[in-house]
Amino acid sequence: MRKQTMNRDWIATARTLNEALPYLQRYEGATVVIKFGGNAMGDDNAMASFARDIVLMRQVGVNPVVVHGGGPMINEMLKRLDIKSEFVGGKRVTDAATVEVVEMVLAGRVNARIVQAINDAGGKAVGLSGKDARLMICDQTNPDLGFVGTPTEMDPSVLTKLFEAEMIPVIAPIGMGRSGETYNVNGDTAAGAIAGALKADRLLLLTDVEGVKDATGAVLTELTSQQIMDLTAEGVISGGMIPKTETALMAIDAGVRAVVILDGRASNACLLELYTEHGAGSIIRK
Ligand code: X2W
């Protein structure tokens, strides 16, 4: 016999689902690109929780695309192999030996771990890099940086095919050169280019900070492109936030409806942003 008890948690869960309905309807059929940075990845539990968020999004009719980083994992492998590495302007100077390690770690290890986590959570994830089906063709960013690429020609048709099959693309930020080179692409840059090519409804940049902050350190929840440019000129936006806001401006220019910079370490960060009134982090619109 089942005993009827009213558990506060169940009531809260039911209320949450009820309140989520208008948001579920708003994002049905939407394309949402999620940049999952190496610093936001955390331990196996955090990875499993991220994977469940992504599977839930797919389940309610969103087309999620995961574009990942893995800077800390590349650093670790380069150190093991005794290869020195430095960053200039937020980009890793990448020689021929380094690009081999970058591709191995990103496409071979980090990508596979995310694909496995999503599939363990009941989704159907497919791992790709920018080389697959000519998704992301790159030119060299700057000869001083070696094999660092800037995406210049995008073909997202492989992604729309996967959407039709209700599969979840997980993309390593590796690009293909026009003469067979392999390029290392900054994860944020790749996510912005992919979101732009898809004219995505949302680009979520998951980081390890709460969002864009004002001069007093308070998180700015809503911003326009113009405000981002003003805050950058005033020096309020600086350091590691600059590549993120630059990506946001580029993506919006390319036709992405809105970009959200949010803390990926917070539990259920993606769901909080998409499916509650509260939202999360900083949303940037034209
Ligand atoms: C990055 C690619 C990985 C990345 C790198 O080599 O570290 C360049 O710097 P996170 O975790 O998102 O920082 N590429 C050109 O962007 O990882």
Side-chain angles (χ1 to χ4, degrees):
M1 200 167 53
R2 259 179 78 189
K3 220 166 70 181
Q4 181 112 40
T5 50
M6 273 300 175
N7 179 310
R8 264 175 208 284
D9 286 349
W10 299 343
I11 296 171
T13 303
R15 181 177 303 138
T16 305
L17 285 170
N18 181 286
E19 284 170 1
L21 178 63
Y23 299 93
L24 294 173
Q25 289 165 333
R26 182 197 294 172
Y27 290 109
E28 193 182 349
T31 298
V32 178
V33 176
I34 303 107
K35 157 72 198 312
F36 194 31
N39 286 318
M41 273 171 213
D43 59 12
D44 285 348
N45 285 335
M47 178 67 85
S49 165
F50 170 79
R52 284 171 59 92
D53 279 13
I54 299 297
V55 172
L56 196 141
M57 283 163 67
R58 180 63 264 175
Q59 197 76 37
V60 296
V62 168
N63 298 315
V65 179
V66 178
V67 181
H68 62 84
M73 297 77 182
I74 298 169
N75 290 342
E76 201 186 295
M77 185 57 76
L78 287 171
K79 205 167 145 198
R80 269 210 245 171
L81 296 171
D82 213 12
I83 299 175
K84 296 251 173 311
S85 191
E86 58 163 343
F87 282 82
V88 173
K91 303 206 168 84
R92 187 188 306 275
V93 180
T94 305
D95 63 11
T98 304
V99 80
E100 265 188 48
V101 177
V102 169
E103 186 174 32
M104 245 166 55
V105 172
L106 293 182
R109 179 81 191 104
V110 180
N111 188 278
R113 188 173 166 225
I114 300 168
V115 166
Q116 189 166 3
I118 293 174
N119 292 342
D120 277 349
K124 285 192 278 182
V126 175
L128 306 162
S129 86
K131 287 183 175 179
D132 287 279
R134 306 175 66 85
L135 171 60
M136 187 166 72
I137 294 178
C138 293
D139 287 335
Q140 190 180 45
T141 302
N142 173 343
D144 295 346
L145 296 174
F147 293 98
V148 171
T150 301
T152 42
E153 205 184 305
M154 308 294 295
D155 180 354
S157 58
V158 63
L159 305 181
T160 46
K161 294 271 186 316
L162 292 173
F163 296 159
E164 284 161 20
E166 301 191 359
M167 293 187 183
I168 303 168
V170 176
I171 307 167
I174 300 291
M176 181 169 99
R178 290 172 205 275
S179 335
E181 320 89 299
T182 297
Y183 280 119
N184 177 12
V185 183
N186 172 276
D188 292 332
T189 309
I194 290 164
L198 288 167
K199 305 249 182 282
D201 297 278
R202 286 284 182 281
L203 167 60
L204 308 183
L205 294 173
L206 301 188
T207 65
D208 55 356
V209 293
E210 294 156 298
V212 180
K213 295 178 180 172
D214 69 10
T216 71
V219 175
L220 296 160
T221 54
E222 281 186 61
L223 290 144
T224 61
S225 299
Q226 188 57 51
Q227 285 169 318
I228 292 282
M229 288 187 265
D230 294 345
L231 288 169
T232 308
E234 290 161 21
V236 175
I237 293 176
S238 63
M241 187 50 78
I242 292 193
K244 313 260 173 223
T245 50
E246 275 179 355
T247 298
L249 296 183
M250 242 163 41
I252 289 168
D253 237 27
V256 174
R257 273 177 44 208
V259 180
V260 188
I261 299 177
L262 70 166
D263 190 348
R265 299 164 309 172
S267 50
N268 308 111
C270 299
L271 299 188
L272 192 62
E273 167 51 31
L274 294 179
Y275 297 122
T276 73
E277 195 177 336
H278 179 267
S282 305
I283 187 159
I284 304 158
R285 293 188 182 85
K286 202 169 194 121

